């Protein structure tokens, strides 16, 4: 699985834990898109979220992980990119359901909300589920996409 990951300054300590963890997954490749494209550029969390979401929307990456102080701002920004569904998850059940029920491509977390061990457990759960376009979830995800297209 190819992942695009990123964080702002508030998320850096937690993303360091996640990077180390991901390094132990032989079937996971990841690219950290946290850094601003130019040294003098501002690097706000919306900019990082935009880079990660665009990389996924383009098909270059399958999924992404974004971390900021709360996980909320990066989720809101990522969801502005057409075709992207980002979910803030601070528990394992939500992380699993974000993929299984909603086909969310981006997991967001808040470094000021959860600790490193819980983050690792959440990432592990999120990585180990796959969306299945079934009779229960498929029509709901399809409807989300229809609503998105309606307002584009």
């Amino acid at each position: 699985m190819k992942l695009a990951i990123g964080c702002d300054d508030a998320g850096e300590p937690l993303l360091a834990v996640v990077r180390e963890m991901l390094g132990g997954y032989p079937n996971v490749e990841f690219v950290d898109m946290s850094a601003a494209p130019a040294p003098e550029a501002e690097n706000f969390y919306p900019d990082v979220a935009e880079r990660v979401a665009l990389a996924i929307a383009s098909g270059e990456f399958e999924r992404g992980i974004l971390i900021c102080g709360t996980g909320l701002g990066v989720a809101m920004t990522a969801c502005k990119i057409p075709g992207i569904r980002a979910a803030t998850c601070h528990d394992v059940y939500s992380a699993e359901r974000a993929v299984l029920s909603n086909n969310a491509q981006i997991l967001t977390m808040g470094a000021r909300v959860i600790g490193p061990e819980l983050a690792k457990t959440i990432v592990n759960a999120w990585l180990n589920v796959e969306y299945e376009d079934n009779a229960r979830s498929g029509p709901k995800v399809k409807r989300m996409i229809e609503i998105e297209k309606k307002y584009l």
Side-chain angles (χ1 to χ4, degrees), residues 45-114:
Y45 67 78
D47 302 310
V48 177
E50 180 185 31
R51 285 193 293 275
V52 168
L54 285 172
I56 294 164
S58 75
E60 184 181 354
F61 294 88
E62 297 167 64
R63 292 194 199 171
I65 299 172
L66 286 165
I67 303 174
C68 65
T70 63
L72 300 172
V74 288
M76 288 180 210
T77 305
C79 285
K80 301 293 183 198
I81 304 302
I84 294 297
R85 288 172 301 284
T88 304
C89 300
H90 293 132
D91 63 85
V92 171
Y93 182 75
S94 297
E96 290 173 343
R97 296 317 310 177
V99 175
L100 293 172
S101 297
N102 301 294
N103 198 16
Q105 309 101 315
I106 299 177
L107 168 68
T108 76
M109 297 182 290
R112 295 178 178 143
V113 180
I114 60 172

Side-chain angles (χ1 to χ4, degrees), residues 104-146:
Q105 309 101 315
I106 299 177
L107 168 68
T108 76
M109 297 182 290
R112 295 178 178 143
V113 180
I114 60 172
E117 293 307 314
L118 179 54
K120 290 192 290 190
T121 303
I122 290 167
V123 169
N124 184 62
W126 181 79
L127 286 172
N128 286 299
V129 292
E130 297 273 336
Y131 175 70
E132 293 181 22
D133 189 3
N134 56 39
R136 186 176 168 115
S137 296
K140 296 169 191 169
V141 172
K142 182 180 177 195
R143 185 66 182 131
M144 278 193 280
I145 294 166
E146 289 169 354

